Structures are given as structure tokens and as C-alpha cells.
Amino acid sequence: MASFTKYVKNKFYNQLFDASDKFVVMHRKELGFYSGWVETYDLEVKHVYARNRSTEELDFDAIVNCDISLKTWRDSSDGELRNRWLRIRCCGVLDAGIKGFRIKQVQQYEKGSNNEFKAPMSDELVPLVWKKDLDEIASSFLKNFYPQALDFPQAINPNLLVQEMGLKLEKRKLTDDTSIFGQIYFHDVSEKSIRAGTILIDSELENIRYNGMINNTIVHECIHWSMHRKAFELEKASQRDLTYLSTVFSETLKSKSSATDWMEWQTEVLTPKIMMPKEMFKQEAQIIIKNLIEKSESNDELEIIEFAIDELAAYFGVSRLSAKIRLVELGLDIAIGAFNYIDGKYVPTYYWKQGFLEQNQTFSIGIMDVGLQLLANPELKQSTENGTLLFVENHFCLNDSKYVSFDIFGKPFLTHYARHHMDECCIVFNISVKSQKGNQTFALNLVLNRDANSDIKHSISYPKGKCDAVLDKAHLIFQNNNDIQKVLKEIPKDFGGALEYLINFREINNKKLISELEYYSEDDLVSPLSSESLSRLIHNKSNPKLETVMMLCIGLQLPMILCLDLIKKAGFDLRYYIPEEMFYLTIVACCGEYSLQGWNELMIEKGCKPLIKGK
């Protein structure tokens, strides 16, 4: 976008020069020139600082470096150059550039004073906004245009907000693919019969998005009108045909490296704060949570937090995710563990000791992150291999009856106690996202924004030292795990004998194991392993393929250490540099997470060769 400093330098250089020359002559002694003739020889506009205010007129200071010619007398040829810095206070009306430019004051510049305005703007005339001030800015916006929202909890009526701001709302088809949700027009467009101050909302939006998204888009455009008209008018000075700004739906985190990025960031973070004012939202949240606890006859907030989020979302006309994030911003950390979806699966709510997690940390990771973390962290791999850590509900949790239980099918799940004390039993991971510029950005929103519809690409890393207490407990569990120790001592050394031993260890029979491996292909139930094939494997009459051994591990839902032992007895070692075998590491670490068909579909989705052919 256009630079205001460059614009002022190119447009008003002569006026700034004349004002500087006049000031130098009139204040020569204050500037240190006590004798001889002085005049301004040249002028360099170093920077222009602007003040953000609601009126159409713009206040701005030009910081200039003056080259001053100092001579014995006016026509002398033996002069020398000195320099002085000045601050020239100016104003004008923004209308496709500056109209009615005038200079209000010239004064000597004090080094280091730079921008003296309390409400500063960037060089592109975008208001400078700090995170700590967002709620105050939202309150100021509401005070000006929708003051009743600060009196008692209520949903913002976007149509009324548009009316109070003197704007106009219309619905039109904007794009064929509905990629642009809304537009705000700053100037008339006669050929489209659109007047300045018109908000256009795509007429198809209500058919593909929930009502909260429409409300969000309208408020979003209202913020653009309130905060970014000056930047628009500056840009229009060089782009005469510029008339509007568009809102495009995106879930990627902005790098904020450009003025347009900053404008979008400002509107994105302010919109929910305007739709859910801090004090009013807190007041309603407390009432809703209290009522839900009373109705549930329980003091356990974890049991009702998701109901509270949905009620708040409906009450304020926003999305579930927006309500969840707002609760966390206002100090209710328990909401972080609600409505999480990893790998497209719902993760049951959970909580931890307040203050234990940093804003960029999580207990929940996806299946594709498991193998990488096991390779990168020997301690984590060792504890997972020996069965003292289990991957349960997308968490690495201590394999202790206090924290993990099993359903009638042998699938593990977190106990009530574990879901209330995650810091005591689960491994922590850092979560980050790479911006378009390639920098690492850590954000609470990234931790929260992993719902069923999110497409944010993130990476997981392991914070050393954070999980020492959990890993120490894992070591003690292994020492006291008599079942695993007994199996490792008693299991036969040949593959067939080991397979038969493990079938008995899991307390199932051959028929049950075969049924566990059945899958659907083109709506037909198919078994990749027959009773005859299984019998030949048990009696060492055929050599198993690695894919077959992996299927057996899945069907038996074995601890990782026993999977690796069975794979080794079949004559294989997992080569982690081969994509399919790297994926096998994930499978043996998380056997109970999916059926054979589920693992197969996931491998196809990730571009790996599947264990079996078919769907």
C-alpha cells in the first residue's frame, strides 16, 4: 500500500520547504546562528507521523532534516552548510489524497521524540493497535455506534449497527464460488448503482454458512469503515479506480507483514470482541454456567462446559469456536479442552492444573505426528515401546488403571480422573504454524482452532523438561508391570509360537482375531486372513509378509513393545526412512485407535501403500 511519507514528500515538498525556510530565518538564534545570512538550502522529509481520530480531518507531523546555508552576507560565495531537524505540524482532509493541506506549526525537533500522537497510525495510515488494548477499542466502537450492547448482555443486531453508522446493507451475488463474503464501498460506483457507505453481502452466503458468519461479516465490514477509511483514501490517491475492500474467508494465520494484513488482523480480532463485549460476555457466561451446574446437580464444570459454549454461541449469534476462544481469553482455561477434533475425530473434554500449559502447548496430537515424535524423542519412544505410555484419545497417557481404562472390546479410554488431571498423566507438546513468510508463529488461537472444519497447517514439537515427572512415573510403572515383564520372559522365540502365545495373552481365539481384521470393500465384507492361513503362520509353515504382521498387531491391539517383538521374530526391522514403514511405527504405537480398515484408509489418504487392497 501507499506510503504517507512518500506522498507528503512528493505532494507538499514546496510548502514544507517554504515553512522551514521561514522558521529558520525567524528563529535563527534559537537554532544557534547568531551572525551572518541564513537560508534553507535543501530539505529531506525523513518521516511523517499521523494521528488517528474520528473526524475527516487528519493531523500529521512531518519530521524534516534541513540543510541550512550560512553566509557572511546574502550574496556571499563563501557560505557553509549546517543542518537542523524540524517538526512541521500539518493537517488536511483525506479524500483520494490530502485536500485543504495547511501547516499549523513549525518547531525544532527533539531527538528521539518521533511520534508524539496518543493514537498513532502506520505509514500507510492504518491505526496502530496493540493486543492489550483490543477490548478497550471494541468498547469505544460500541460506545459510538451501539451503546446498548454495553448496558446488558445481548446479541448485536448487525442491521441496526449498519443503520447507526449511517451505512447501507445490500445482498448481491459477488462471485461464482462465494469466495468473497462481503465488500465495503468507500466511494460511489455509478455504473453499479452503489453509493459510498454500502456494504454488500453475497446473497448465497446464507445458504452455505451459518447465520453467525453473516453477522460476523457485516460487523467485519463496519470495522473496516470505522478504522480503515484513511488508509483507503491514501491508496486511492495513486489508484483512482479503487472503490471498495473485500472480505475473503480464510483460516490461515496472518503474518501481518503488510498493511493489508494488519487491517485484516485488526478486523478479525476486533469483530468477536465487539460481538461479545468483555464485561457483558463474562456476566452472561457466569449465569449460564451456574444454571447448567445447578441443573446437572454437579459441581463439575468439565461436564457442562460444552453446553455452556453452545448456549453462549447461540445467545450472542457467533460461532461455537468464537465463543470458546472468548471464554479462554477471559480466563476460563477449561474451555481449551472442549470441542477439540483431531484427525477428524472428537476428543472428549479434559482439564489440567491451571497455569500448567503455556499458550502454545497442548496434550492432543494427531496420528501423523506420533511417528515423528517417537523418532525425535528417545525417552518418549522407550516409554511407548515398553507400554508405560499409551496413545489414548489422541494423548500420550500413563498406562495405569488410575488414568486408563478399557471398554468391553479392549479399547483404551481416559478415566474421569485422568480427564481432570491431564498435567499429572499426559505428555505435553508445543504446537506451531508456519506463516507465509516461513517464520514460526505461536498462538493460543492455533491450539483452540483445531475443530472439525479447521484447515490450519501446524507442526508439533516436544518441550524437553516439561514432562520429566510423567516420564519418571512411566519408568516406575514399567518396573512394576509384572504382566509385560512376564510376557517378555515367557514368549516363544519363534514367530508362530509367539503369535499363538499373544492370541492367548489377549484372551481371544483364532476366529475372533480373523473377524477383527474383516473390512468392507465395495460394500462386501472381506477377510484378508483365512483360518487356514492363520493356522499355517502359527505352525511356522509359511513365512509372513510384513503387511500381514502389521495386520495381526492391529487385530490383537498389542502394546508397542510386543508389536516390535513380533515384527522382529518375523524377520523384519522397521526402516523409518521408507514412508510405509515409518507409518508402521505410528500403527504399533497406536494400535487401538483404528480398525484395520481405518488404518488402511488413513495410509491411502497420506499417500502410503495400503496394507490391503480395496476400499
Side-chain angles (χ1 to χ4, degrees):
M1 293 185 67
S3 164
F4 190 48
T5 298
K6 290 181 180 179
Y7 173 81
V8 170
K9 178 180 179 179
N10 295 333
K11 188 77 173 177
F12 303 113
Y13 177 86
N14 291 337
Q15 293 94 316
L16 295 174
F17 182 93
D18 292 343
S20 299
D21 186 54
K22 183 178 179 180
F23 180 84
V24 167
V25 172
M26 293 181 64
H27 299 83
R28 53 183 296 166
K29 290 185 178 180
E30 295 174 24
L31 296 172
F33 307 124
Y34 298 101
S35 62
W37 179 267
V38 295
E39 62 181 1
T40 302
Y41 177 78
D42 196 8
L43 182 81
E44 181 182 6
V45 179
K46 301 296 289 186
H47 204 89
V48 178
Y49 297 106
R51 176 166 73 118
N52 181 35
R53 60 174 180 167
S54 58
T55 62
E56 296 298 323
E57 192 170 64
L58 181 72
D59 292 326
F60 56 96
D61 291 352
I63 309 301
V64 301
N65 183 15
C66 298
D67 286 333
I68 300 170
S69 175
L70 181 62
K71 303 178 182 180
T72 306
W73 59 84
R74 181 173 185 175
D75 297 324
S76 175
S77 59
D78 61 348
E80 60 177 309
L81 288 179
R82 304 283 182 86
N83 81 296
R84 293 292 186 271
W85 287 61
L86 304 178
R87 180 188 296 273
I88 305 177
R89 298 192 180 277
C90 315
C91 64
V93 175
L94 270 169
D95 181 11
I98 295 291
K99 303 293 190 297
F101 171 82
R102 69 182 189 277
I103 294 173
K104 298 193 294 184
Q105 184 184 28
V106 182
Q107 57 187 168
Q108 192 168 357
Y109 172 74
E110 295 182 11
K111 185 177 180 180
S113 59
N114 295 333
N115 195 338
E116 294 184 340
F117 293 123
K118 291 184 178 180
M121 307 180 80
S122 74
D123 192 43
E124 296 84 8
L125 298 189
V126 177
L128 295 179
V129 172
W130 285 265
K131 186 177 179 181
K132 64 181 179 62
D133 298 326
L134 289 173
D135 279 309
E136 184 179 340
I137 295 170
S139 293
S140 178
F141 177 92
L142 289 169
K143 186 176 181 179
N144 290 330
F145 303 115
Y146 209 99
Q148 59 268 42
L150 300 175
D151 294 333
F152 61 90
Q154 60 183 276
I156 298 292
N157 183 331
N159 295 292
L160 182 57
L161 174 63
V162 168
Q163 180 181 328
E164 290 297 320
M165 294 184 70
L167 305 176
K168 182 181 179 182
L169 181 64
E170 293 184 16
K171 293 183 179 180
R172 296 190 185 186
K173 183 67 175 175
L174 300 182
T175 58
D176 292 335
D177 60 357
T178 323
S179 58
I180 295 178
F181 286 7
Q183 295 173 336
I184 176 72
Y185 280 77
F186 294 92
H187 281 257
D188 297 344
V189 183
S190 55
E191 60 269 24
K192 293 184 179 180
S193 300
I194 297 175
R195 300 294 301 272
T198 298
I199 295 174
L200 295 186
I201 299 297
D202 194 291
S203 55
E204 292 296 314
L205 191 59
E206 61 187 2
N207 297 325
I208 63 172
R209 295 283 177 175
Y210 55 91
N211 191 56
M213 178 62 78
I214 300 173
N215 295 344
N216 185 288
T217 302
I218 296 171
V219 174
H220 186 110
E221 303 303 339
C222 289
I223 297 171
H224 273 314
W225 178 264
S226 174
M227 296 185 65
H228 302 137
R229 272 186 292 167
K230 292 181 174 63
F232 179 88
E233 296 295 349
L234 174 62
E235 188 70 13
K236 190 170 175 61
S238 58
Q239 297 187 50
R240 304 301 299 183
D241 58 345
L242 188 65
T243 56
Y244 63 86
L245 291 176
S246 296
T247 296
V248 180
F249 177 69
S250 173
E251 287 192 1
T252 56
L253 296 180
K254 298 288 189 294
S255 64
K256 297 181 292 198
S257 59
S258 69
T260 52
D261 288 337
W262 274 108
M263 288 194 295
E264 281 306 304
W265 176 80
Q266 289 173 2
T267 52
E268 286 175 7
V269 297
L270 282 171
T271 296
K273 290 173 173 54
I274 288 170
M275 298 181 74
M276 297 174 283
K278 181 178 179 179
E279 294 304 323
M280 296 299 101
F281 186 82
K282 286 175 64 176
Q283 180 178 318
E284 188 63 25
Q286 289 169 355
I287 294 172
I288 287 176
I289 290 173
K290 180 182 177 182
N291 289 339
L292 286 170
I293 289 177
E294 289 176 351
K295 289 178 182 179
S296 67
E297 298 180 354
S298 169
N299 291 321
D300 188 356
E301 290 186 352
L302 196 60
E303 293 182 7
I304 56 87
I305 187 61
E306 292 188 345
F307 296 104
I309 291 172
D310 276 343
E311 284 199 29
L312 285 165
Y315 188 92
F316 286 93
V318 298
S319 70
R320 171 188 285 174
L321 179 62
S322 293
K324 171 183 170 180
I325 291 175
R326 196 63 169 136
L327 279 172
V328 177
E329 286 178 343
L330 299 180
L332 197 65
D333 288 351
I334 195 170
I336 297 176
F339 287 126
N340 288 311
Y341 290 82
I342 311 292
D343 298 326
K345 295 194 309 179
Y346 172 74
V347 178
T349 54
Y350 56 87
Y351 193 49
W352 57 94
K353 183 179 178 181
Q354 190 167 8
F356 181 78
L357 286 187
E358 297 178 18
Q359 286 195 342
N360 63 310
Q361 292 181 335
T362 179
F363 294 105
S364 309
I365 67 172
I367 287 291
M368 293 306 296
D369 295 311
V370 171
L372 294 173
Q373 293 309 307
L374 293 179
L375 285 180
N377 305 290
E379 288 181 320
L380 182 65
K381 183 172 182 288
Q382 181 182 13
S383 294
T384 306
E385 282 185 2
N386 64 33
T388 54
L389 284 178
L390 287 182
F391 191 68
V392 185
E393 297 175 1
N394 290 93
H395 319 294
F396 275 105
C397 183
L398 289 172
N399 186 8
D400 185 282
S401 58
K402 184 177 181 180
Y403 310 119
V404 177
S405 189
F406 295 85
D407 62 20
I408 59 174
F409 302 104
K411 187 173 182 178
F413 62 89
L414 295 184
T415 63
H416 180 273
Y417 182 87
R419 291 200 297 112
H420 285 74
H421 302 83
M422 298 291 282
D423 54 293
E424 185 179 312
C425 58
C426 289
I427 298 295
V428 177
F429 296 93
N430 289 335
I431 182 169
S432 62
V433 62
K434 286 188 176 181
S435 71
Q436 295 174 350
K437 298 295 183 180
N439 298 321
Q440 290 291 323
T441 305
F442 297 103
L444 174 62
N445 282 10
L446 177 60
V447 176
L448 300 179
N449 197 8
R450 291 191 291 166
D451 64 7
N453 300 312
S454 177
D455 60 1
I456 292 178
K457 305 302 180 185
H458 60 271
S459 60
I460 296 292
S461 59
Y462 179 78
K464 291 185 177 180
K466 185 82 174 186
C467 304
D468 288 350
V470 173
L471 291 172
D472 287 344
K473 288 181 182 179
H475 181 66
L476 291 175
I477 290 173
F478 179 67
Q479 290 179 330
N480 297 322
N481 193 334
N482 295 325
D483 286 344
I484 293 294
Q485 302 285 6
K486 180 182 177 182
V487 170
L488 291 174
K489 289 179 180 179
E490 294 181 352
I491 190 169
K493 296 183 178 180
D494 63 293
F495 174 79
L499 177 57
E500 184 176 27
Y501 181 96
L502 291 172
I503 291 174
N504 294 326
F505 169 72
R506 295 298 293 151
E507 297 181 350
I508 62 176
N509 53 40
N510 292 4
K511 184 178 179 180
K512 175 66 174 175
L513 174 58
I514 291 171
S515 68
E516 288 290 334
L517 299 178
E518 290 176 339
Y519 67 97
Y520 281 92
S521 178
E522 303 298 332
D523 296 326
D524 292 327
L525 188 62
V526 178
S527 177
L529 191 67
S530 66
S531 59
E532 292 80 7
S533 299
L534 180 56
S535 178
R536 290 178 61 83
L537 290 173
I538 291 174
H539 293 92
N540 293 315
K541 291 184 178 180
S542 63
N543 295 321
K545 295 180 180 179
L546 177 56
E547 292 81 1
T548 303
V549 182
M550 294 306 305
M551 286 191 285
L552 291 168
C553 289
I554 294 169
L556 291 167
Q557 296 187 14
L558 294 173
M560 186 176 183
I561 192 169
L562 299 182
C563 288
L564 294 175
D565 183 73
L566 190 63
I567 291 169
K568 187 174 182 180
K569 284 180 167 63
F572 300 103
D573 284 311
L574 296 184
R575 297 163 294 178
Y576 301 145
Y577 54 86
I578 298 177
E580 285 77 18
E581 296 186 22
M582 170 64 187
F583 199 97
Y584 294 165
L585 175 64
T586 301
I587 292 177
V588 298
C590 318
C591 273
E593 289 299 299
Y594 294 98
S595 65
L596 174 60
Q597 184 167 345
W599 281 115
N600 210 54
E601 291 175 352
L602 190 59
M603 293 185 75
I604 294 172
E605 177 187 328
K606 301 304 179 182
C608 296
K609 179 183 176 182
L611 292 171
I612 50 177
K613 294 181 180 180
K615 187 176 178 181

